[in-house]
Amino acid sequence: MTAPFSHAMVLAAGLGLRMRPITLTIPKPLVPVAGRTMLDRALDALDAAGVSQIVVNCHWLGEKIRDHLAGRPEIVLSPEDELLETGGGVTHALPHLGDAAFFVVNADILWTEGAVPALERLRAAWDDSRMDALLLLHPTATAVGHDGPGDFFLEPDGRPRRRGDATRAPYLFTGVQSLHPRLFEGAPSGRFSLNVLYDRALARGRLAAIVHDGGWFHVGTPEALPAVEARLRDVQTTSGAASDTR
């Protein structure tokens, strides 16, 4: 039996189409933002949370991710010959993720910490008796580099509710989460989105969420990169601790 949150996965297999031409030669997770790659920032956060085994999937320019991570024995690569999306990618990597709850982090987003690191908050909020998935949400209105309508409402008991037909929702999904292997029982084969499994968990009352209390940044296009870097540096300067930036 593995310990909860001793394992994690970083989703790093995306094509990064909106970031072209940069991503024609560099996989998006290896694009530097304010002096550090997005992949390394995600790994820093997992290291700080005490994760002992990390799976990183790869597809587009995967050999560059492999070379970047060479010499790190705690990292297991999960190459995808065919891009499997988020759900298929985690399902493919499940043999390396233990039999208890684990973290999953997107490698193409950035966040800064609030009073307590986000992964520690997810760990503390996890309730194995009533959760199969726990999502970290962020207020849509204060997300940097994101202009979408949001993803979720939150009920008073902390249960998320899909935006549905509403024009906007107050919270977006950050790409940071805790999942349990039982979420994947009966999962589709091949390529599919984690949203399929979120909706199943939601229908069973086993999808939960907490709201991030730090900053959240999305680098969607090359043109957005300077603005995100400037805002990120502003947050670092205000917080007085660059190490708080993941």
Side-chain angles (χ1 to χ4, degrees), residues 69-101:
L69 297 175
R72 296 194 58 164
E74 80 280 14
I75 294 178
V76 175
L77 282 181
S78 180
E80 297 177 9
D81 294 334
E82 173 192 357
L83 190 61
L84 295 174
E85 294 191 28
T86 54
V90 180
T91 302
H92 181 65
L94 276 180
H96 304 293
L97 290 168
D99 53 11

Side-chain angles (χ1 to χ4, degrees), residues 45-68:
L46 293 168
D47 288 343
V51 175
S52 58
Q53 181 163 316
I54 302 171
V55 180
V56 178
N57 69 342
C58 56
H59 174 72
W60 174 248
L61 299 175
E63 70 282 358
K64 295 197 173 186
I65 290 177
R66 180 199 62 213
D67 293 347
H68 185 80

Side-chain angles (χ1 to χ4, degrees), residues 18-20 22 28 31-34 38 110 144-147 217-233:
R18 294 182 63 210
M19 283 293 290
R20 290 186 176 181
I22 294 174
K28 187 175 180 182
V31 173
V33 181
M38 290 185 276
L110 305 101
V144 177
H146 178 83
D147 56 5
F217 306 82
H218 178 249
V219 185
T221 64
E223 294 75 23
L225 186 55
V228 170
E229 289 184 316
R231 289 291 298 275
L232 195 56
R233 290 192 177 100

